Amino acid sequence: MPYVHETLENLRKSSPAQTEFYQAAEEVLECLRPLFQRSPYYHDHSIIERIVEPERQIMFRICWTDDDGRVQVNKGYRIQFNSALGPYKGGLRFHPSVTSGTIKFLGFEQIFKNALTGLPIGGGKGGSDFDPKGKSDDEIMRFCQAFMSELYRHIGPNTDVPAGDIGVGGREIGYMFGQYKRLTGRYEGVLTGKGLDWGGSIGRKEATGYGAVYFAQNMLEALGKTLEGKTCLVSGAGNVAIYTIEKLYEMGAKPVTCSDSRGTLHDARGIDLDLLKELKEVKRASLEAYLEQHPEATYIPAGEYPEGGHAVWRIKADAAFPCATQNELTADDAQALLDNGVYCISEGANMPSTADAVDRFLEAKIAYGPGKAANAGGVATSQLEMAQNSSMEQWPLEKVDDKLKEIMANIHRQCADTAEEFGEPTNLVLGANIAGFRKVADAMIDQGVV
Ligand code: NDP
Ligand code: 2IT
């Protein structure tokens, strides 16, 4: 299929340093080959050349003053990738590793993820290389205000609605919302993940993690299995990891690990969720402090696993939930998981498995739910927050959670049906990419050359 090959070659030349974006684009485009063979009209409309090119990318300078009175400078980004299905929607990431390539890969993934939800949202993403670690509350507030002082002119409830991602939670959304309101004089649903007393949706904080577990449950149901009594590995210790662990307990499973950038925690009796929440949501402390209350648990500092792999993925279990960051699970890790009997992987994070790791999972034909399908519950519930804001309502938890369950089941069904349609019934990567792409591409064709 020269069409796919040529587009990837052109991307390699035009985006030489954007390796994560290239990785994400290659995965999607390679999956589309059988679709293009059946439906040449996507080629006739130059759809893939158009879909890999963001509609707009905004880069800006952020100047703010630290507690010592020194002026600090960071880079800010917002990518408005594709608006065929609705206003741009996607999170903001504050992490020192953020580059324009990181935001581009996340924005690209977001297009297809948002399409899979079946809700009217386009794809966008943003963030900064700002490092929230070790900053005071005042510093976080001044940074968020400075960030929004530029971003506010590019966003709006019907144009582009940012939310949280790594390093951006309820506190940061609050400071950014306050600054948006001050600058525009408008109280409107321009961000999601807001506080429950000022426009937030009940259940949004929990939605990504809960959704990833619902997705695992859907995959297991198709195999006649459940999560009940299963030992589960979770990486990360942030928003997605914490609520994955919470839902796993509700399903009768036993999550035995979590991790942060400094190390991995293994508690064979099951992670103490209350303590984890206190350490991470309240004290913002290292996971090592967990041992003060549970000396029988094991803590393995990052990089100190004897064989050089990621310690989380070397423990015997049934299911795994990567919920930290991109490329945190390598081919060696994938092999270790398979050797240890893991037969279900549901990705809470965005692109946590390297391309080689994904290949291992697909070859093994285990239940593998790629991030753009398995973690779509977060953005889907963000859209429910937008719906509540525009109708000036607040829905009860039961209603939000029922909708989340239904959306995750629909996503699973679409991925499985599409995989089946293309003759690879266990390949949900193929199913997710073709099903998401078709919706966006068809809408782009309907809307003409714009
Ligand atoms: P948080 O900032 O709440 O937590 C991130 C966790 O991952 C922390 O434990 C952090 O450790 C760890 N982590 C982050 N970067 C690295 C790194 N480079 N190496 C090792 N560990 C790292 O973020 P979220 O939980 O919100 O996001 C986690 C993942 O889920 C991301 O991939 C995000 O894109 C994805 N996601 C998030 C959604 C949401 O609604 N929040 C929705 C869909 C996907 P430490 O604290 O030490 O930095
Ligand atoms: O990656 C993601 O889907 C998110 N960070 C959530 C985006 C959103 O708009 O809620």
Side-chain angles (χ1 to χ4, degrees), residues 155-232:
I155 60 176
N158 297 312
T159 49
D160 183 357
V161 184
D165 193 83
I166 291 178
V168 178
R171 174 181 61 168
E172 292 73 20
I173 294 290
Y175 293 146
M176 288 191 273
F177 183 76
Q179 182 73 349
Y180 178 87
K181 188 159 57 80
R182 175 161 74 180
L183 292 169
T184 62
R186 290 196 296 269
Y187 199 110
E188 56 193 10
V190 70
L191 293 160
T192 58
K194 300 185 289 298
L196 300 188
D197 293 332
W198 44 274
S201 173
I202 297 171
R204 171 61 189 91
K205 185 173 68 172
E206 296 83 356
T208 311
Y210 281 18
V213 177
Y214 293 148
F215 197 86
Q217 191 191 23
N218 293 142
M219 290 194 293
L220 288 175
E221 260 168 29
L223 303 173
K225 297 186 162 119
T226 69
L227 279 164
E228 175 106 41
K230 301 296 184 304
T231 300
C232 299

Side-chain angles (χ1 to χ4, degrees), residues 35 38 415-425 430 434 438:
L35 176 69
R38 276 195 204 176
C415 296
D417 289 352
T418 310
E420 177 94 45
E421 182 190 336
F422 284 86
E424 292 194 42
L430 184 90
I434 294 185
R438 268 205 290 224

Side-chain angles (χ1 to χ4, degrees), residues 93 133 165-167 204 208 237-240 260-261 323-324 348-350:
R93 177 176 292 191
K133 277 215 188 77
D165 193 83
I166 291 178
R204 171 61 189 91
T208 311
N239 172 268
V240 180
D260 63 15
S261 53
C323 298
N350 284 306

Side-chain angles (χ1 to χ4, degrees), residues 7 14 26 36 63 79 101 129 146 165 186 207 211 218-219 222 244 258 326 354 384 415 422:
T7 311
S14 64
E26 187 173 34
F36 295 147
C63 301
I79 192 158
D129 61 355
D165 193 83
R186 290 196 296 269
N218 293 142
M219 290 194 293
T244 294
C258 59
Q326 65 270 18
T354 63
L384 302 181
C415 296
F422 284 86

Side-chain angles (χ1 to χ4, degrees), residues 246-446:
E246 182 163 288
K247 186 52 76 177
L248 283 171
Y249 275 125
E250 280 177 35
M251 297 280 180
K254 186 164 72 161
V256 295
T257 62
C258 59
S259 66
D260 63 15
S261 53
R262 282 169 283 196
T264 293
L265 189 66
H266 178 208
D267 190 338
R269 296 160 320 155
I271 294 292
D272 177 341
L273 180 60
D274 291 337
L275 178 58
L276 177 64
K277 284 187 180 177
E278 189 191 322
L279 289 175
K280 287 297 175 183
E281 294 188 329
V282 184
K283 295 185 175 157
R284 298 176 196 274
S286 162
L287 280 177
E288 205 169 357
Y290 186 97
L291 298 187
E292 288 165 20
Q293 289 195 37
H294 294 292
E296 67 289 350
T298 315
Y299 179 78
I300 305 153
E304 286 190 19
Y305 189 77
E307 288 153 36
H310 190 327
V312 175
W313 312 128
R314 307 300 161 122
I315 292 161
K316 193 157 178 53
D318 302 295
F321 296 80
C323 298
T325 192
Q326 65 270 18
N327 292 329
E328 56 163 314
L329 198 163
T330 64
D332 283 351
D333 295 327
Q335 197 54 52
L337 286 168
L338 294 169
D339 292 347
N340 271 327
V342 168
Y343 51 83
C344 173
I345 317 257
S346 184
E347 295 184 338
N350 284 306
M351 206 170 76
S353 306
T354 63
D356 291 347
V358 175
D359 288 344
R360 296 273 167 104
F361 296 144
L362 295 179
E363 280 157 23
K365 296 193 188 308
I366 58 163
Y368 169 62
K372 63 169 72 74
N375 73 39
V379 73
T381 308
S382 276
Q383 196 281 343
L384 302 181
E385 182 170 328
M386 290 163 71
Q388 291 168 76
N389 291 163
S390 61
S391 60
M392 295 195 166
E393 290 174 329
Q394 188 168 51
W395 302 343
L397 177 61
E398 203 179 31
K399 178 167 174 176
V400 177
D401 197 44
D402 282 352
K403 283 186 181 285
L404 173 62
K405 276 188 198 132
E406 193 185 316
I407 291 167
M408 296 314 296
N410 275 335
I411 295 175
H412 177 259
R413 201 171 310 117
Q414 281 177 75
C415 296
D417 289 352
T418 310
E420 177 94 45
E421 182 190 336
F422 284 86
E424 292 194 42
T426 58
N427 189 342
L428 300 186
V429 176
L430 184 90
N433 285 323
I434 294 185
F437 171 84
R438 268 205 290 224
K439 286 190 187 174
V440 182
D442 291 347
M444 287 171 73
I445 292 170
D446 288 348

